[in-house]
Amino acid sequence: MTATATANAVEHAQAGEVLAFPAQEPARATRDSRPLRLITCGSVDDGKSTLIGRLLWDTKAVKEDQAATLQRDSKGKQNDLGLPDFALLLDGLQAEREQGITIDVAYRYFSTDKRSFIVADTPGHEQYTRNMATGASTADLAVLLVDARVGLLEQTRRHATIATLMGIKQFVLAVNKIDLTDYDRARFEEISHEFRELALSLGVRQVTAIPVSALKGENVVYDGRASMPWYDGPTLIEVLELATTRSAQTVGFRLPVQRVSRPGESFRGYQGTVAGGSVKPGDSVVILPSGMVANVTKIVTFDLVRNAAVAGDAITLVLDRQVDVSRGDMIVAIDSQPLTGLSFDAQLVALQAEGIQPGKRYWLKSGSRRQRVQVQPASQLDLQTGKWNQAEQLPMNAIGKVHLAFDEQAIFDSYEQNRTTGAFILIDPDTNNTVAGGMITAKRSALGGIHTEDARVILSLPADLADQLMATELFAGRREEAEVRRVSAGRAVEIIDDIDG
């Protein structure tokens, strides 16, 4: 009811009239403005493309011209139900359509009344594992498909492991083609139990198992109780609507510098996309790896001056003093700095036929920063047993733990804390091929011990005192054992008071 209508009603009520107020409109469900990014993964022919195609079809995300094209292209490929080949909505490459497989990652957008989604259809063949890893690197949730007739396969385990390494903590186990087992409840529960044990071994506890028939659309968008009265859980779309997105606010401000903007003598700004945390004018920041300290005076975007910026914003940062900043440097919060050092531990997936050779020097690229690194494989994951076995080299598609040794100071967060500043790729300098994708797990000391955030010696000092300490010969000899974080004098006093207390 409008304010005018309410005022008129009050006047009539004061005159003694009996009024009939119009019924209130029911409150609409709050729509989540953040899109959920998800992937479908699993082994070959488990029905990943068909599932997404059915999801798009039933959520009315397929336009009329697309539907007409689908009907035309499906001629001669109709199934026993006379339905179109939903996989054609995803498989756009000629080779994919000819072979009936997925090769490249296909991204599609769709939405419901409650939220929007960006889904990545990833290939199931082992030789295209690198494409699956690419799709998983930005996903919040993984829909892992399993053919109800065959159960978990090695590629199923590989995809689940890679998704976990990429930081995905939410899984939907879609036991597909359940109709081909006559909707066997015991078979569904057997596969669900086996996958939950695998998930627990990977440290994943949030698993929702759903029996589905992607072709018939049962338990995808509409429930399949007519065929599966024994299943009273949610449909796939209901789970996706309630899933959570990961936040990039878990660490302090991070801005990998992509470009230095100097349109005139009176302006110097540092451009990039905020990779974590937030920043506002007046905040103190540190430029790494130089360690110079400055204050933010202005945050500029393409059309206005901002009062603040958060993760995902593309900005130009203006500082209060002239500092040496170049592409590849990182501007970070003064009181929440990333790991810096020459040695790190990481996990990676080998993506090329030559694998990862021990002691070979590669280019490591993380964000806009590229550095020389020597890689030493330490162990490889056995996908059958789930155990890490010692390894001197990593073959193609292997998942392994490695030691990284840099010539210059490297800057990372652990991947668990920040996916952007904790991820990297390895490039072969001879062929320029991307040979691996990896995630930083911890920093290593010069003696080979692992230094996590809890184990490092951290010295929080005023900026001028920190510069003096770093210039001393004593500190130079123990640079790998301690980390100096520049803070304001007031903050240093608070830290000392806390220690004394």
Side-chain angles (χ1 to χ4, degrees), residues 39-43 46 48 120-124 132 142-146 155-156 159-160 163 171:
I39 63 165
T40 57
C41 51
S43 192
D46 283 346
K48 296 179 291 298
D121 180 29
T122 61
M132 179 270 163
V143 179
L144 189 73
L145 275 84
V146 175
Q155 189 69 343
T156 313
H159 279 195
F171 279 80

Side-chain angles (χ1 to χ4, degrees), residues 272-440:
T273 300
V274 180
S278 60
V279 67
K280 62 184 183 300
D283 286 353
S284 296
V285 295
V286 178
I287 293 88
L288 297 177
S290 68
M292 298 295 294
V293 179
N295 297 313
V296 178
T297 59
K298 190 184 298 183
I299 302 171
V300 183
T301 61
F302 71 98
D303 60 347
L304 48 80
V305 176
R306 300 274 292 272
N307 293 324
V310 298
D313 290 344
I315 63 172
T316 299
L317 208 63
V318 181
L319 305 179
D320 65 345
R321 65 197 71 178
Q322 298 291 336
V323 291
D324 182 14
V325 182
S326 59
R327 176 180 170 83
D329 290 352
M330 190 182 298
I331 303 176
V332 304
I334 194 170
D335 56 353
S336 179
Q337 298 183 30
L339 306 172
T340 58
L342 299 176
S343 301
F344 288 84
D345 280 339
Q347 294 181 351
L348 54 75
V349 181
L351 305 177
Q352 294 291 341
E354 60 268 24
I356 301 298
Q357 303 300 320
K360 182 170 180 176
R361 292 167 60 82
Y362 296 93
W363 283 112
L364 182 144
K365 192 173 188 304
S366 177
S368 56
R369 188 174 182 83
R370 192 175 76 158
Q371 295 177 265
R372 283 283 195 177
V373 65
Q374 189 176 59
V375 182
Q376 184 62 50
S379 58
Q380 179 181 341
L381 179 64
D382 186 327
L383 294 171
Q384 293 295 333
T385 64
K387 296 181 179 180
W388 292 92
N389 301 323
Q390 186 174 356
E392 295 184 355
Q393 63 181 25
L394 299 175
M396 181 177 176
N397 293 326
I399 300 170
K401 295 181 179 180
V402 299
H403 306 318
L404 305 176
F406 294 88
D407 296 337
E408 301 175 341
Q409 287 284 321
I411 309 164
F412 295 106
D413 287 295
S414 68
Y415 186 81
E416 186 175 355
Q417 291 182 319
N418 190 306
R419 299 172 77 183
T420 303
T421 56
F424 63 87
I425 59 173
L426 294 180
I427 302 171
D428 190 322
D430 300 325
T431 63
N432 215 32
N433 289 332
T434 299
V435 297
M439 296 73 67
I440 296 295

Side-chain angles (χ1 to χ4, degrees), residues 251 254 288 332-345 409-415 417 440-446 449-460 475 478-486:
V251 296
R254 304 283 187 267
L288 297 177
V332 304
I334 194 170
D335 56 353
S336 179
Q337 298 183 30
L339 306 172
T340 58
L342 299 176
S343 301
F344 288 84
D345 280 339
Q409 287 284 321
I411 309 164
F412 295 106
D413 287 295
S414 68
Y415 186 81
Q417 291 182 319
I440 296 295
T441 56
K443 177 183 174 183
R444 294 175 59 82
S445 73
I450 298 177
H451 282 245
T452 64
E453 184 72 11
D454 296 331
R456 292 200 318 278
V457 177
I458 301 174
L459 303 176
S460 299
F475 184 77
R478 294 182 173 270
R479 192 67 179 268
E480 289 295 325
E481 301 175 22
E483 178 179 338
V484 173
R485 294 185 175 178
R486 298 167 175 80

Side-chain angles (χ1 to χ4, degrees), residues 120-349:
D121 180 29
T122 61
H125 286 72
E126 184 175 350
Q127 62 263 43
Y128 303 126
T129 297
R130 55 185 176 271
N131 293 351
M132 179 270 163
T134 300
S137 64
T138 59
D140 302 302
L141 177 146
V143 179
L144 189 73
L145 275 84
V146 175
D147 188 327
R149 299 168 299 177
V150 298
L152 301 187
L153 301 173
E154 179 177 333
Q155 189 69 343
T156 313
R157 298 175 184 275
R158 178 179 285 107
H159 279 195
T161 303
I162 293 174
T164 304
L165 292 179
M166 292 295 179
I168 298 176
K169 301 299 183 183
Q170 302 173 92
F171 279 80
V172 175
L173 175 67
V175 182
N176 193 26
K177 305 182 183 181
I178 192 71
D179 53 312
L180 299 182
T181 66
D182 293 327
Y183 302 99
D184 189 342
R185 179 178 183 176
R187 180 59 174 159
F188 167 70
E189 292 177 345
E190 177 188 353
I191 295 173
S192 300
H193 177 72
E194 185 178 359
F195 180 75
R196 290 183 191 278
E197 289 187 340
L198 171 64
L200 285 175
S201 70
L202 297 173
V204 176
R205 290 174 173 78
Q206 191 171 346
V207 177
T208 304
I210 305 174
V212 303
S213 171
L215 182 61
K216 294 182 177 181
E218 294 172 320
N219 284 334
V220 180
V221 172
Y222 305 109
D223 68 68
R225 289 189 178 90
S227 303
M228 293 169 277
W230 47 265
Y231 177 75
D232 59 359
T235 62
L236 175 60
I237 196 65
E238 288 172 344
V239 174
L240 298 182
E241 287 177 337
L242 296 176
T244 58
T245 57
R246 284 186 288 182
S247 172
Q249 309 292 329
T250 55
V251 296
F253 173 65
R254 304 283 187 267
L255 180 70
V257 177
Q258 298 177 6
R259 181 174 179 267
V260 179
S261 175
R262 189 74 188 277
E265 294 184 1
S266 61
F267 184 91
R268 181 192 294 267
Y270 308 103
Q271 299 177 331
T273 300
V274 180
S278 60
V279 67
K280 62 184 183 300
D283 286 353
S284 296
V285 295
V286 178
I287 293 88
L288 297 177
S290 68
M292 298 295 294
V293 179
N295 297 313
V296 178
T297 59
K298 190 184 298 183
I299 302 171
V300 183
T301 61
F302 71 98
D303 60 347
L304 48 80
V305 176
R306 300 274 292 272
N307 293 324
V310 298
D313 290 344
I315 63 172
T316 299
L317 208 63
V318 181
L319 305 179
D320 65 345
R321 65 197 71 178
Q322 298 291 336
V323 291
D324 182 14
V325 182
S326 59
R327 176 180 170 83
D329 290 352
M330 190 182 298
I331 303 176
V332 304
I334 194 170
D335 56 353
S336 179
Q337 298 183 30
L339 306 172
T340 58
L342 299 176
S343 301
F344 288 84
D345 280 339
Q347 294 181 351
L348 54 75
V349 181

